[in-house]
Amino acid sequence: SVVTTTTTTSYTYNPPLTATPNSPPSPITMKLTLAAASFITAASAFSTLSHNARSSTSLAAARKPFISGNWKLNPTTKDEAVALASGISDAVTDASPDAEVALFVPYVFIDAAKEAVGDKIEIGAEAVCPEDSGAFTGAISANMVQSMGVQWVLAGHSERRVLFGESDEYINGQCLKLIEKGMSVMLCIGESEAEYEQDLAGSVCAVQLKKGLAGISKEEMSRVAIAYEPVWAIGTGK
């Protein structure tokens, strides 16, 4: 199930987003759906981090679902971004289950996406730099996205860790900066295929949690969601 919490740790599993009624899903929506499906099927690998199964189940029942989608480096144009955001927004109706819904989109599409979805869906940013200003060419600060009305930001996504070399310490800096600014952060954690095959999922995720959340108080965890992302399962069919 999809869960999030306002206590010391929250777990967010992302189910497929519904396509616009009477129309086929776009390639991007399909990609998000496939990734989200893998996200759920691999959730059991994270169970070793639960305090105990019984309390975890009771907490899950009390939490409000939080469904999110990350657009990555998609789509290619503003018009496509508006169409995708509008399609997802149209799928959220009064008959939809009571849940928070968020889309993490490229910086350049934030304003257009926010206008397209209104107040039905939260529009977040895919990452921020932990610095406020200075000689950091190409970087985007928390202040910048906050000034655009953004409340939620991703940190620690596997692609940022692997492709851009973001360390646990850097990711922790992002988390701390967002909390400092009164914003909310979705911290992504997860093991690689090699780590999974060596039965290291629990220990890898525990380290990422400990380092990523260092310095964040129990009270501040109300503005943190944890997204378990089994890297080996997303888009692989495993």
Side-chain angles (χ1 to χ4, degrees):
S1 61
V2 183
V3 294
T4 186
T5 183
T6 56
T7 54
T8 53
T9 307
S10 89
Y11 305 90
T12 301
Y13 303 134
N14 297 351
L17 295 171
T18 305
T20 306
N22 302 320
S23 66
S26 69
I28 296 172
T29 303
M30 293 176 67
K31 186 173 182 181
L32 287 171
T33 300
L34 290 171
S38 299
F39 208 93
I40 296 171
T41 57
S44 59
F46 190 52
S47 61
T48 55
L49 296 182
S50 300
H51 294 297
N52 61 69
R54 206 172 299 170
S55 63
S56 177
T57 301
S58 61
L59 281 172
R63 295 167 180 162
K64 185 174 183 178
F66 187 0
I67 306 170
S68 67
N70 171 30
W71 285 9
K72 304 175 184 281
L73 187 60
N74 297 296
T76 55
T77 69
K78 178 181 176 181
D79 288 344
E80 290 173 347
V82 170
L84 180 57
S86 298
I88 296 171
S89 178
D90 290 344
V92 179
T93 68
D94 291 339
S96 300
D98 184 24
E100 295 181 40
V101 182
L103 297 175
F104 294 94
V105 310
Y107 304 117
V108 294
F109 298 144
I110 288 175
D111 273 342
K114 286 179 70 66
E115 184 175 349
V117 305
D119 59 1
K120 293 175 66 175
I121 296 176
E122 189 83 30
I123 299 297
E126 297 180 6
V128 293
C129 172
E131 303 293 339
D132 284 330
S133 61
F136 303 97
T137 301
I140 303 292
S141 72
N143 285 333
M144 291 176 181
V145 295
Q146 187 179 43
S147 72
M148 301 173 71
V150 168
Q151 174 64 26
W152 280 92
V153 180
L154 292 180
H157 192 280
S158 62
E159 290 156 6
R160 301 297 306 183
R161 293 177 187 269
V162 176
L163 300 178
F164 295 89
E166 293 186 0
S167 65
D168 287 315
E169 291 71 24
Y170 185 87
I171 292 163
N172 176 239
Q174 294 174 309
C175 293
L176 291 173
K177 180 59 65 175
L178 290 165
I179 295 299
E180 174 193 323
K181 299 298 180 182
M183 300 173 71
S184 300
V185 58
M186 180 176 287
L187 174 63
C188 304
I189 63 171
E191 77 284 355
S192 66
E193 183 174 10
E195 290 164 338
Y196 173 75
E197 291 177 346
Q198 295 177 58
D199 199 26
L200 295 175
S203 58
V204 168
C205 291
V207 169
Q208 291 175 347
L209 276 174
K210 182 177 181 179
K211 291 186 175 182
L213 298 176
I216 295 177
S217 69
K218 179 178 179 179
E219 293 72 27
E220 290 169 335
M221 284 299 297
S222 63
R223 288 186 278 121
V224 177
I226 307 299
Y228 172 54
E229 177 194 21
V231 183
W232 54 272
I234 297 177
T236 66
K238 295 183 179 180

